[in-house]
Amino acid sequence: MFLGLDRHSSAKAVYEAATDRWLSYDDLREAVRERCEELGSPARALIFLFCRNDLRSVAMYLASFEAGHAVALLDDGLIAESKTALIDLYRPELISTGLDVPHPDYERVGEALWRRRTEDDAGLHSDLALLLSTSGSTGSPRFVRLTRGNVEANAESISEVLEIGPADCAITSLPIHYSYGLSVLNTHLLHGGSIALTDQGLLEPGFWETFRKAECTSFAGVPYLYQILRRLDPARLRIPTLNTMTQAGGRMDPAMIAKFSSWIAERGGRFFVMYGQTEATARISILPSSALPEKLGSVGPPIPGGRAAIDPETGELLYSGPNVMMGYAASREDLALGDQLSGTLRTGDLARLDEDGHIFITGRAKRDAKVFGLRINLDEVENLLRAHGPVAVIGKGEALRIYCEHGDEEVFAGHRRELSERLRIHHSAFVFRRLESLPLTPNGKIDYQKLTGLP
């Protein structure tokens, strides 16, 4: 079975906070079997799985692999127009969602399952198993195309470094449609561990009640979540079972890494700094806890089975391994494509390697930014605002700096609300500045380098 689920039996597998119940691996396999029967024919289909951190989503995700389908994991909280645009572009045969699908081409065939009324002529590549969005919650039409081998190889490598086993229990501090959150689920199921499912956030008391009730041992967070955790003060949360902390999803301040790694070490635990991309399924490198504080600032060596190199001309980090995607998709027709990368990924990050092969990220070569752990394509944000007037967007820390040739504070407040709703990111992430004219390069393009020097 996928992720070796048949290797475990009566051990605890999943705790669902919403229903306050534990499922054993036997129970989980039965839930997967029921979802497989529900999926039925066609023999091979594209499934849009609009996810929440709940048993429905986990069971349908596992069943999609088990039944040999291709599944796209998406946020169930996407706004309706984004969902409709994606459905029209990719024409999935099946849609699983806890909400209605107000689309004339689909009919309900189960409690949370919808089927397309007509078949689609566009085929799916035989190796295609998983589609993940490249841009968090933006509803971007671009997906990363992954194989079952990509997913299982990456889960095995991560599990090896983190030494995940049956005694480990994680909590869904991240959404499972996000590659980092999904990797937490995969790695714990692969080696007989368990996972507590909750959609509550760190600032809600129910999150920590679930952590205590399930006796969770690990916490995974992007830099923004660690900022929240620092304010909450983990020493006051009454979570004695916590022994492992992992961080990825963007650069975290070295002083904060030192603070948390020291705190968890004092109680006999471990702190891992990790680096990855959705294009590499999840993880590219992991800095072992034992390497701190000596290698503070590094994201570690490549994961087992992976290799890193630096492009001598551009300084870009190149990564090769069995977890590298087949390529991108921008429409249904792209899902028939085969492997376009042959196992090597140009990461778009500038980096250096030290004498021990540890990776140090020094900058970005692409027009992307990490905000609160979500990768945001800056060009897409510009496109959302361009109808209001000339605009340029850059990433700066945990915020997007948005420079406009129009508007005042009242107008910018409206833009913040629009972006916050569209991207599902807190409004504080958007910092607006008005300029009389955007700086341009000699060839008439926006001079983003000059913008980085502005307040």
Side-chain angles (χ1 to χ4, degrees):
M1 290 187 72
F2 177 53
L3 296 176
L5 292 181
D6 53 341
R7 296 199 301 262
H8 320 293
S9 56
S10 59
K12 291 179 177 179
V14 173
Y15 173 73
E16 187 176 45
T19 57
D20 189 21
R21 59 169 174 158
W22 272 103
L23 280 78
S24 69
Y25 273 90
D26 286 335
D27 297 329
L28 181 59
R29 282 195 299 274
E30 178 61 20
V32 172
R33 185 193 64 77
E34 291 174 357
R35 297 290 80 73
C36 285
E37 289 184 356
E38 187 180 21
L39 289 173
S41 60
R44 182 157 167 77
L46 172 62
I47 303 170
F48 265 20
L49 172 51
F50 288 99
C51 299
R52 297 185 184 273
N53 288 342
D54 60 13
L55 179 61
R56 171 193 68 84
S57 300
V58 170
M60 185 60 76
Y61 161 66
L62 297 171
S64 300
F65 273 76
E66 201 60 31
H69 298 304
V71 60
L73 303 189
L74 295 154
D75 183 0
D76 209 17
L78 276 176
I79 61 175
E81 67 174 348
S82 293
K83 288 183 176 180
T84 299
L86 287 168
I87 290 168
D88 286 339
L89 189 60
Y90 283 92
R91 308 185 299 280
E93 281 77 17
L94 296 162
I95 299 174
S96 176
T97 174
L99 305 173
D100 284 343
V101 178
H103 196 293
D105 292 348
Y106 291 84
E107 59 181 350
R108 187 192 293 271
V109 293
E111 181 180 351
L113 189 66
W114 302 70
R115 188 182 302 279
R116 189 177 180 87
R117 298 178 190 274
T118 58
E119 294 186 8
D120 201 288
D121 294 333
L124 307 172
H125 192 277
S126 58
D127 291 335
L128 180 65
L130 177 64
L131 296 171
L132 295 177
S133 172
T134 60
S135 301
S137 299
T138 65
S140 168
R142 188 169 77 160
F143 287 116
V144 162
R145 297 182 290 116
L146 299 166
T147 69
R148 176 169 175 156
N150 291 151
V151 176
E152 293 189 319
N154 202 229
E156 187 61 66
S157 294
I158 298 169
S159 300
E160 180 180 335
V161 180
L162 270 55
E163 299 178 315
I164 294 173
D168 294 302
C169 179
I171 189 168
T172 52
S173 49
L174 301 160
I176 62 173
H177 63 79
Y178 171 36
S179 60
Y180 184 9
L182 184 63
S183 74
V184 174
L185 172 70
N186 290 338
T187 52
H188 283 73
L189 295 182
L190 180 64
H191 286 287
S194 55
I195 190 157
L197 301 174
T198 177
D199 268 323
Q200 292 189 304
L202 273 63
L203 293 175
E204 299 175 86
F207 180 90
W208 300 108
E209 291 171 8
T210 297
F211 197 105
R212 288 186 285 269
K213 180 169 285 190
E215 298 183 325
C216 296
T217 62
S218 67
F219 173 85
V222 298
Y224 176 62
L225 293 187
Y226 276 99
Q227 291 174 10
I228 294 175
L229 191 58
R230 180 179 61 179
R231 294 199 300 270
L232 293 174
D233 186 359
R236 300 167 60 90
L237 292 174
R238 295 182 292 112
I239 45 175
T241 54
L242 176 65
N243 59 35
T244 301
M245 305 178 87
T246 64
Q247 180 267 315
R251 182 182 182 276
M252 192 158 91
D253 181 60
M256 192 178 295
I257 294 174
K259 176 182 176 66
F260 278 105
S261 63
S262 175
W263 176 79
I264 194 75
E266 288 175 359
R267 52 190 286 164
R270 307 168 301 160
F271 188 96
F272 295 88
V273 177
M274 309 195 297
Y275 162 74
Q277 294 188 358
T278 304
E279 289 86 344
T281 308
R283 300 279 70 79
I284 285 174
S285 67
I286 302 175
L287 182 68
S289 182
S290 59
L292 288 169
E294 178 189 357
K295 296 287 188 180
L296 189 63
S298 169
V299 294
I303 58 173
R307 300 177 304 282
I310 305 298
D311 186 315
E313 295 184 4
T314 65
E316 183 179 3
L317 176 65
L318 309 179
Y319 172 78
S320 301
N323 52 314
V324 172
M325 66 174 180
M326 299 167 70
Y328 293 111
S331 68
R332 172 69 187 231
E333 287 66 31
D334 291 340
L335 304 187
L337 298 175
D339 184 0
Q340 297 176 306
L341 299 187
S342 301
T344 297
L345 175 68
R346 301 192 70 93
T347 65
D349 285 318
L350 305 177
R352 64 178 178 86
L353 300 175
D354 71 6
E355 64 278 4
D356 298 317
H358 284 62
I359 301 168
F360 288 77
I361 304 297
T362 59
R364 282 291 293 170
K366 291 182 178 178
R367 285 277 294 152
D368 288 341
K370 286 282 182 75
V371 180
F372 297 169
L374 295 176
R375 189 195 306 178
I376 303 298
N377 185 279
L378 303 181
D379 294 327
E380 289 182 11
V381 178
E382 287 185 359
N383 289 336
L384 292 174
L385 295 171
R386 191 163 284 128
H388 303 291
V391 61
V393 182
I394 63 171
K396 205 163 189 177
E398 284 286 339
L400 297 185
R401 295 288 181 129
I402 303 171
Y403 297 92
C404 305
E405 292 185 3
H406 72 279
D408 53 25
E409 282 307 311
E410 183 177 352
V411 170
F412 295 156
H415 291 348
R416 286 190 192 93
R417 288 192 296 270
E418 176 187 353
L419 291 175
S420 181
E421 179 182 2
R422 178 71 66 110
L423 305 183
R424 294 174 59 79
I425 294 175
H426 193 269
H427 62 81
S428 64
F430 309 107
V431 179
F432 283 83
R433 297 285 186 270
R434 176 166 182 169
L435 298 177
E436 288 303 311
S437 60
L438 297 172
L440 302 177
T441 63
N443 61 5
K445 295 183 178 180
I446 293 174
D447 192 336
Y448 291 101
Q449 190 63 39
K450 282 188 178 179
L451 288 176
T452 61
L454 298 178

